[in-house]
Amino acid sequence: MINLKSWFLLAILSVFLCTTLGSDAVDSVLRRLDSKRAQSVVQESAAKGVLQRLLPAHLHSFEFKIISKDLCGGGSCFRITNYKSSRRNSPEILIQGTTAVEIASGLHWYLKYKCGAHISWDKTGGVQLASVPKPGALPLVEARGVMIQRPVPWNYYQNVVTSSYSYVWWDWQRWEKEIDWMALQGINLPLAFTGQEAIWQKVFLDYNITTQELNNFFGGPAFLAWARMGNLHAWGGPLSQNWLNIQLALQKWILSRMQELGMTPVLPSFSGNVPAALKKIFPSANITRLGDWNTVSGDSRWCCTFLLSPSDPLFIEIGEAFIQKQIKEYGDITDIYNCDTFNENTPPTDDPTYISSLGSAVYKAMSKANSNAVWLMQGWLFYSDSKYWKPPQMEALLHSVPRGKMIVLDLFADVKPIWKSSSQFYDTPYIWCMLHNFGGNIEMYGVIDAVASGPINARTSENSTMVGVGMCMEGIEHNPVVYELMPEMAFRGGKFQLQGWLKSYSRRRYGKVNDQIEAAWEILYHTIYNCTDGIAFHNTDYIVKFPDWDPSGKTGTGISGTDMSNQNGMQQLAGFQWNRRFLFSEKSSSLPKPHLWYSTEDVIKALKLFLDAGKELSGSLTYRYDLVDLTRQSLSKLANQVYLDAISAFHHEDAKALSLHSQKFLQLIKDIDKLLAADDNFLLGTWLESAKNLAMNSDETKQYEWNARTQITMWYDNAKYNQSKLHDYANKFWSGLLEAYYLPRAAMYFKLLSRCLEEKVDFNLLEWRKEWIAYSNKWQESSELYPVKAKGDALAIATVLYEKYFS
């Protein structure tokens, strides 16, 4: 019998061997991926292209050079030195890197920390490059130069639904900007899901699935992400051949540029989601029809998709065919494939042996086509379905593939890290990810203390298996401070002073030192950007997610105006919890609760400081964006209180007070719409026109616009008296949407409340639903135009609104 001391030594040895073997396996993957990269001259040229598009006047001010990992201590790095040459008009700064991504990251680092520049998405204010000196006058770095190493090899980017919430209507011009942004942020492992339906078409046609049957399988353009995951089929479709061809061509451009820059794209693989027709062609195959996913009545036109079990030999055959066709179309450009067969799809048994066999089959479908395949899996299931995925089940799945052949995304590590409670995913390499955003909602929010410390703590923890950092937001183009800090963590080896970083950030973002702005950011750091309550879903403000509930006294809400008139009362509303992406639901017996995690009074002080800085910063696009966003958020939180005051008046049968508060709520919507109209980045028209611009004929124009309108409003199917279960999930604070959609809906509700008091009758929830659902469906089908250019002076409007509501 083994004694306790021997057992302890064996346990230590086992952990050591697992960690060492895991590290060796990752190194082997990295070496293979390095061999697939473009030649040095191609990468250097691609990095020059990024510079030319960003700072064309400085094209000859920088020299770029690819270097080996040996010069970086065996890993990846960038080096910035002064260019040594006596020649006239020679470059001023030499940036070297192990790939073009490292070079671009080095350029960004230099522009930030030597030139005081700032780079963000165009829709969050764009770039601030006015602080960059002219060519010939660039600041020198210290004589020994600057070398920044990656502490972990990968910087991952995207969520499987980002392609629908943010990228769906993009053309190559917009994609080129995004890939430039990725490179500058150091992203080297991006998800690349565009155009996969064209590959699936080729695969399934080989199995005698007809085009008409595929029309019933693919979702519409704005709902492709959920059709890919097997949540729905046909909703918003069909996909035209034009769409399939254009998206495939776009994917080839995307992958080509990613490869030129030295990125490793993550391609899709087979998860088991198949057309219904496959069951007829292979009647003996183990194909199961899944249950309902958020339809109102289980409508078979888009409900209940079909899943081919990984245990069936046909699964491996189709999975192999799909990857082979990708390789044929795109070339041998990656070994990393994403698959989420078990995401929000619980296996029929919790037997670890069965789970292991399923995982092994999923991986075999990849490895038969690419013997070096690595399975990249979202770890969302371990959080969303934690009752099922206990340690034995987790370990069975994670160990079902050869060591080093799986990488897990700890998808929600910024709030609910799984690595801490799973023995570092049972010795499986993982990427520490920030989820941050749901549905592409517009909400100022962050957990930047966790972002600044979490990846470092995870990497330096005992027996760490962390191999990267990542951003897995559902939608992009918001909260620029968060999306500058998070990718920078890919190059942060040790702890740093976050408040000092924020002070530097504010100076770079606006191009000037301004005391009011720095004081405002100090407040924002401690309030909006320091959420610690662990609540996942953020933007449930009443304007954009109007409550569907019966406010009559019979429901027993127990809410009064007095109860909700202070900060503590609003905090009581913050308990709106959910696990899986869409598993929350509204009930007419309880009031949905907005999420509030900070003192609104403090944030209003920050808004006043922003306004006071306006005289000096009014010409800055980055300042204008932040001012509009902060004013919008402050007014939206005020509207939550106004709504509750109106409900309290209704409970007290005070018709005059109800009219006063309801009119104030409606006026707030109008005023916020006017504010948002003064900035190009908050316009509904931009979203709708980008959808229509991809259309090749009138039928596609109508279809794409319906897709675009539906995703941000009703989202999914509805009945006469039952709104979609997902309505307002992808809500947006956009000018045009507020006045044309959210305002009429709220007006209908308050009008019905007033009538109830006048006629002394009970509130009729079904009557309310019937009216607003009919209005929504009509709006989804309509085609009226909305502005695509801003109108008005944002600073002047924000100042007036502050005086009107907060002074």
Side-chain angles (χ1 to χ4, degrees):
M1 176 178 284
I2 189 169
N3 60 38
L4 185 62
K5 182 177 180 181
S6 298
W7 178 89
F8 182 70
L9 291 172
L10 284 172
I12 293 175
L13 179 61
S14 175
V15 170
F16 172 77
L17 288 174
C18 286
T19 304
T20 303
L21 289 171
S23 177
D24 290 343
V26 170
D27 288 342
S28 178
V29 171
L30 290 169
R31 286 193 296 271
R32 286 196 305 272
L33 293 174
D34 285 343
S35 71
K36 295 177 185 287
R37 299 199 199 284
Q39 295 180 344
S40 295
V41 64
V42 173
Q43 293 191 59
E44 289 163 1
S45 177
K48 276 285 186 177
V50 174
L51 172 61
Q52 186 168 26
R53 289 183 289 275
L54 181 67
L55 281 168
H58 292 74
L59 182 61
H60 302 296
S61 299
F62 295 89
E63 179 73 12
F64 295 156
K65 188 71 175 176
I66 295 290
I67 57 175
S68 72
K69 288 184 176 180
D70 293 339
L71 297 177
C72 297
S76 298
C77 80
F78 60 78
R79 299 168 60 182
I80 309 170
T81 56
N82 303 315
Y83 192 87
K84 299 174 182 179
S85 175
S86 58
R87 291 188 295 109
R88 190 178 179 183
N89 297 325
S90 66
E92 301 168 72
I93 300 295
L94 170 64
I95 301 179
Q96 300 168 301
T98 43
T99 71
V101 170
E102 272 71 36
I103 290 174
S105 303
L107 172 65
H108 190 196
W109 196 277
Y110 174 82
L111 293 175
K112 281 199 292 190
Y113 295 116
K114 293 302 293 185
C115 301
H118 171 75
I119 297 168
S120 68
W121 290 298
D122 286 353
K123 283 185 72 66
T124 56
V127 299
Q128 186 289 109
L129 299 173
S131 61
V132 180
K134 294 180 180 180
L138 290 178
L140 299 177
V141 298
E142 49 265 40
R144 58 187 174 88
V146 175
M147 184 173 84
I148 303 293
Q149 295 174 297
R150 286 189 188 268
V152 284
W154 284 304
N155 189 355
Y156 175 81
Y157 183 54
Q158 294 180 42
N159 187 297
V160 293
V161 303
T162 318
S163 57
S164 290
Y165 283 133
S166 295
Y167 307 151
V168 55
W169 311 121
W170 284 7
D171 56 13
W172 169 242
Q173 183 180 16
R174 178 62 187 87
W175 262 110
E176 184 174 51
K177 285 187 176 182
E178 187 71 5
I179 297 171
D180 283 355
W181 180 88
M182 291 184 205
L184 290 162
Q185 304 294 343
I187 293 162
N188 59 5
L189 191 65
L191 202 62
F193 268 26
T194 301
Q196 63 178 279
E197 284 69 29
I199 305 294
W200 280 120
Q201 182 187 52
K202 297 174 189 291
V203 170
F204 286 127
L205 287 177
D206 288 346
Y207 285 90
N208 298 316
I209 305 291
T210 67
T211 300
Q212 182 59 41
E213 288 165 337
L214 287 176
N215 286 344
N216 187 49
F217 177 60
F218 297 138
F223 303 97
L224 286 175
W226 300 276
R228 292 165 180 169
M229 289 188 288
N231 300 132
L232 54 81
H233 65 96
W235 180 251
L239 292 181
S240 70
Q241 195 62 46
N242 287 333
W243 174 273
L244 295 170
N245 294 343
I246 290 170
Q247 293 297 300
L248 180 60
L250 182 59
Q251 172 76 332
K252 290 179 179 179
W253 291 333
I254 291 167
L255 293 176
S256 177
R257 181 59 56 80
M258 287 178 174
Q259 189 178 30
E260 289 169 3
L261 286 164
M263 298 177 182
T264 298
V266 178
L267 292 177
S269 62
F270 183 46
S271 64
N273 184 30
V274 295
L278 196 73
K279 190 171 180 63
K280 297 177 182 178
I281 297 172
F282 296 93
S284 62
N286 187 358
I287 298 176
T288 304
R289 187 155 202 183
L290 300 178
D292 181 32
W293 184 87
N294 287 304
T295 67
V296 293
S297 60
D299 194 321
S300 61
R301 288 176 295 171
W302 34 78
C303 160
C304 311
T305 57
F306 291 84
L307 184 72
L308 174 62
S309 172
S311 63
D312 194 294
L314 187 60
F315 183 101
I316 296 172
E317 183 181 317
I318 292 176
E320 179 185 7
F322 178 67
I323 290 181
Q324 284 178 340
K325 287 198 182 294
Q326 284 190 118
I327 293 172
K328 183 178 179 180
E329 288 287 342
Y330 311 138
D332 184 16
I333 59 173
T334 189
D335 291 334
I336 302 186
Y337 301 92
N338 169 258
C339 182
D340 295 304
T341 295
F342 310 107
N343 189 42
E344 302 188 14
N345 176 28
T346 305
T349 173
D350 63 0
D351 178 16
T353 302
Y354 176 77
I355 294 170
S356 181
S357 67
L358 292 184
S360 178
V362 170
Y363 178 71
K364 189 175 181 180
M366 302 177 195
S367 60
K368 281 201 72 175
N370 180 345
S371 60
N372 295 318
V374 176
W375 178 2
L376 181 78
M377 183 183 73
Q378 289 191 139
W380 177 253
L381 70 168
F382 301 134
Y383 165 70
S384 67
D385 200 6
S386 58
K387 290 183 179 180
Y388 175 88
W389 292 101
K390 295 290 178 25
Q393 289 74 32
M394 283 184 67
E395 190 168 5
L397 177 58
L398 295 172
H399 289 180
S400 65
V401 302
R403 187 171 298 280
K405 297 295 188 178
M406 177 182 281
I407 300 171
V408 181
L409 299 177
D410 197 353
L411 206 73
F412 205 12
D414 51 328
V415 176
K416 302 288 185 182
I418 301 298
W419 68 267
K420 289 183 177 181
S421 58
S422 63
S423 299
Q424 306 264 348
F425 290 96
Y426 302 99
D427 304 312
T428 301
Y430 76 94
I431 293 176
W432 192 103
C433 295
M434 176 189 77
L435 182 49
H436 186 260
N437 176 267
F438 297 89
N441 301 150
I442 298 172
E443 174 87 335
M444 294 179 71
Y445 160 83
V447 288
I448 60 175
D449 274 341
V451 168
S453 61
I456 295 170
N457 293 338
R459 181 179 56 81
T460 58
S461 64
E462 187 177 4
N463 301 318
S464 176
T465 57
M466 176 181 160
V467 293
V469 299
M471 296 182 287
C472 297
M473 63 284 120
E474 290 193 353
I476 64 168
E477 298 177 321
H478 50 79
N479 290 288
V481 64
V482 175
Y483 292 90
E484 176 154 331
L485 177 61
M486 185 63 237
E488 192 173 297
M489 296 309 297
F491 296 99
R492 290 282 182 181
K495 295 186 177 182
F496 62 102
Q497 216 279 324
L498 181 56
Q499 286 176 283
W501 184 92
L502 280 168
K503 183 175 288 190
S504 167
Y505 170 85
S506 70
R507 294 175 179 181
R508 291 185 283 104
R509 180 151 171 84
Y510 312 118
K512 294 179 180 178
V513 175
N514 182 281
D515 292 340
Q516 290 105 326
I517 284 289
E518 291 185 10
W521 271 103
E522 180 71 16
I523 294 173
L524 295 179
Y525 164 56
H526 290 290
T527 54
I528 284 176
Y529 288 110
N530 195 27
C531 181
T532 58
D533 61 20
I535 293 177
F537 200 69
H538 316 301
N539 193 6
T540 51
D541 286 351
Y542 291 138
I543 287 178
V544 292
K545 191 166 178 60
F546 200 80
D548 173 68
W549 77 303
D550 184 347
S552 66
K554 294 183 299 181
T555 60
T557 59
I559 294 173
S560 70
T562 302
D563 291 335
M564 303 313 302
S565 62
N566 56 44
Q567 180 66 24
N568 290 334
M570 285 302 289
Q571 290 289 5
Q572 291 170 11
L573 285 178
F576 193 75
Q577 292 275 14
W578 64 289
N579 277 343
R580 302 170 79 162
R581 182 178 291 112
F582 293 121
L583 285 193
F584 62 88
S585 62
E586 295 178 0
K587 297 179 181 179
S588 59
S589 62
S590 61
L591 176 64
K593 306 169 181 67
H595 181 202
L596 187 65
W597 62 97
Y598 58 85
S599 163
T600 54
E601 290 184 3
D602 287 345
V603 170
I604 290 169
K605 292 176 185 177
L607 174 58
K608 181 62 167 65
L609 290 165
F610 254 85
L611 290 167
D612 291 344
K615 289 183 179 179
E616 185 177 358
L617 299 177
S618 60
S620 164
L621 295 179
T622 47
Y623 166 78
R624 186 179 73 182
Y625 174 88
D626 290 347
L627 173 66
V628 169
D629 206 19
L630 183 56
T631 308
R632 171 208 59 76
Q633 179 123 340
S634 300
L635 293 171
S636 180
K637 302 308 176 191
L638 173 63
N640 291 339
Q641 178 61 54
V642 174
Y643 172 88
L644 294 170
D645 291 339
I647 296 302
S648 177
F650 177 79
H651 285 163
H652 289 93
E653 299 183 1
D654 187 338
K656 184 177 180 180
L658 172 60
S659 176
L660 176 69
H661 296 310
S662 62
Q663 288 304 312
K664 184 176 181 180
F665 187 89
L666 299 177
Q667 188 59 48
L668 274 162
I669 298 178
K670 295 176 184 178
D671 286 341
I672 296 174
D673 191 279
K674 183 178 180 180
L675 169 72
L676 299 176
D679 190 290
D680 288 328
N681 304 302
F682 295 95
L683 304 179
L684 168 64
T686 305
W687 171 254
L688 298 181
E689 293 306 311
S690 63
K692 292 186 285 185
N693 286 341
L694 287 187
M696 302 293 286
N697 54 54
S698 58
D699 288 341
E700 290 179 1
T701 298
K702 185 177 181 180
Q703 180 193 12
Y704 295 176
E705 182 166 8
W706 183 90
N707 269 254
R709 286 170 176 258
T710 297
Q711 188 204 84
I712 60 176
T713 53
M714 192 62 77
W715 207 108
Y716 207 11
D717 70 337
N718 61 262
K720 188 176 182 179
Y721 296 106
N722 286 296
Q723 72 283 1
S724 163
K725 294 179 182 179
L726 306 180
H727 74 90
D728 298 325
Y729 180 83
N731 65 69
K732 301 291 188 292
F733 271 100
W734 283 341
S735 176
L737 189 61
L738 268 75
E739 190 140 9
Y741 189 83
Y742 299 136
L743 177 64
R745 179 172 64 180
M748 293 172 201
Y749 187 81
F750 288 126
K751 182 179 179 181
L752 188 57
L753 287 185
S754 296
R755 198 175 80 198
C756 289
L757 294 186
E758 291 171 9
E759 300 177 3
K760 299 186 184 305
V761 297
D762 289 338
F763 180 83
N764 189 327
L765 183 64
L766 292 182
E767 181 182 349
W768 141 245
R769 285 180 175 175
K770 176 184 175 182
E771 186 176 8
W772 93 257
I773 290 170
Y775 179 86
S776 178
N777 291 161
K778 183 179 179 181
W779 188 87
Q780 292 164 249
E781 295 279 358
S782 62
S783 58
E784 67 274 9
L785 299 176
Y786 293 91
V788 294
K789 293 293 182 183
K791 178 183 179 181
D793 183 329
L795 176 58
I797 295 170
T799 301
V800 168
L801 294 179
Y802 177 87
E803 294 295 329
K804 181 177 180 179
Y805 291 107
F806 300 125
S807 65

